[in-house]
Amino acid sequence: MIDGAKKPTTPSLFDDFGSSRFKSKDEYKNALASYQEALFHVQQSYYHQKKRALIVFEGWDASGKGGAIRRLTEKLDPRGVSVFPVAKPAQSDQEKHFLYRFWKHIPPPGSLHIFDRSHYGRVLVERVNSLIERPIWQRSYREINEFEQTLSDNGVRIVKLFMHISSREQRERFEERLHNPFKRWKLTEEDLHNRRMRNEYIAAANEMFKRTHTSCAPWHIINGEYKWQARIDVLETIVNALSEGVEVAPPPLDENLIAQASKQLDVDEALIAQAKQSD
């Protein structure tokens, strides 16, 4: 921890996924619409108040990151949200510090940025596949915490999500991709390799939570076993995290603007005042 605050309880990957709380598609659709509207209001408040947020997605292959991100962004103003898919660094980036390419995508005031995979590849895929030496990835925990603390100190709200599914569910989703010609492109040799390394990834992920779960950037493990529930849990987690300590209600109308608009547009000021009261 950088700020000396009390460290929150560290999460870890679990084996009991329970059952989905959504029994019908209508129930899911209603919850989806409600949380998407709530997130849209949060986005508006961040724009008006010049606040900014970084949302980080990590998780298993086929755990539902893409589907969750689509539901997360589809009702937002596209001018205020950006998604950055993170892949293997280009050669030019490999010659720089590993955080360099992530600094370039820090959200400006009034916007939300989403990392689809992230700087945590350093202590996950690069560690598990021995792409870097142990002292380097061990040092990276401190560097990541300092990076995120710096962002937080400069007003960036950070939400980190790990999409978790069982080995059995992942296998079923891989099989679906293999037999569906429109999804087959999603299944790669790297996915199969990562599946074989599941135990190593579990160890790496749990140490990642232990070393980087901080008060300014805590981890949230999402139960991704059931797609409907996972999407709602993602939205709910983000809405709650971004709303904390933030005034989400719209800003008051400018009285001078109301007077000018009333005169120019021939609108009754009394009706405007009534509308304001009803809000």
Side-chain angles (χ1 to χ4, degrees), residues 205-220:
N206 281 331
E207 184 170 3
M208 175 184 73
F209 300 141
K210 181 179 179 180
R211 302 282 293 273
T212 64
H213 182 69
T214 62
S215 58
C216 73
W219 278 103
H220 305 271

Side-chain angles (χ1 to χ4, degrees), residues 173-187:
R173 295 183 187 183
F174 278 4
E175 289 179 350
E176 179 190 7
R177 290 180 176 185
L178 181 63
H179 298 298
N180 185 334
F182 295 102
K183 292 186 177 182
R184 195 170 294 154
W185 62 272
K186 292 185 176 182
L187 185 62

Side-chain angles (χ1 to χ4, degrees), residues 239-255:
V239 167
N240 290 341
L242 298 188
S243 299
E244 185 176 356
V246 175
E247 179 56 63
V248 179
L253 293 174
D254 184 286
E255 298 296 338

Side-chain angles (χ1 to χ4, degrees), residues 7-45:
K7 187 173 182 177
T9 302
T10 303
S12 61
L13 298 181
F14 45 81
D15 296 321
D16 183 4
F17 293 86
S19 57
S20 176
R21 69 175 184 270
F22 291 105
K23 305 304 181 184
S24 70
K25 191 169 186 177
D26 285 343
E27 184 182 4
Y28 157 67
K29 287 291 188 181
N30 289 336
L32 180 65
S34 177
Y35 277 109
Q36 285 180 328
E37 181 179 6
L39 184 59
F40 175 66
H41 293 316
V42 169
Q43 184 195 30
Q44 288 182 314
S45 69

Side-chain angles (χ1 to χ4, degrees), residues 105-140:
H105 297 300
I106 298 309
S111 66
L112 313 179
H113 280 191
I114 300 169
F115 285 175
D116 183 359
R117 298 202 183 276
S118 69
H119 44 291
Y120 283 97
R122 187 69 158 189
V123 295
L124 290 173
V125 63
E126 292 185 42
R127 166 188 170 169
V128 169
N129 291 287
S130 301
L131 300 178
I132 51 177
E133 296 179 355
R134 179 183 177 87
I136 297 177
W137 60 256
Q138 282 282 353
R139 183 181 71 224
S140 298

Side-chain angles (χ1 to χ4, degrees), residues 110 121 165 256:
I165 56 174
N256 291 330

Side-chain angles (χ1 to χ4, degrees), residues 44-156:
Q44 288 182 314
S45 69
Y46 270 59
Y47 172 78
H48 289 297
Q49 299 173 42
K50 303 303 179 185
K51 295 182 179 296
R52 47 189 177 153
L54 175 64
I55 302 168
V56 174
F57 277 87
E58 287 289 349
W60 300 107
D61 299 316
S63 60
K65 295 184 296 297
I69 291 172
R70 282 196 298 275
R71 275 72 183 182
L72 171 63
T73 59
E74 67 181 353
K75 299 298 183 180
L76 297 181
D77 187 332
R79 296 169 295 180
V81 60
S82 297
V83 179
F84 298 96
V86 177
K88 178 181 177 180
Q91 182 62 41
S92 59
D93 286 328
Q94 293 179 29
E95 297 167 354
K96 302 178 179 68
H97 190 276
F98 81 99
L99 288 172
Y100 169 79
R101 60 181 177 143
F102 299 101
W103 273 111
K104 295 188 295 183
H105 297 300
I106 298 309
S111 66
L112 313 179
H113 280 191
I114 300 169
F115 285 175
D116 183 359
R117 298 202 183 276
S118 69
H119 44 291
Y120 283 97
R122 187 69 158 189
V123 295
L124 290 173
V125 63
E126 292 185 42
R127 166 188 170 169
V128 169
N129 291 287
S130 301
L131 300 178
I132 51 177
E133 296 179 355
R134 179 183 177 87
I136 297 177
W137 60 256
Q138 282 282 353
R139 183 181 71 224
S140 298
Y141 295 118
R142 172 181 56 80
E143 294 173 326
I144 288 171
N145 286 339
E146 291 174 347
F147 168 62
E148 293 176 349
Q149 184 70 56
T150 300
L151 296 182
S152 178
D153 290 345
N154 283 273
V156 179

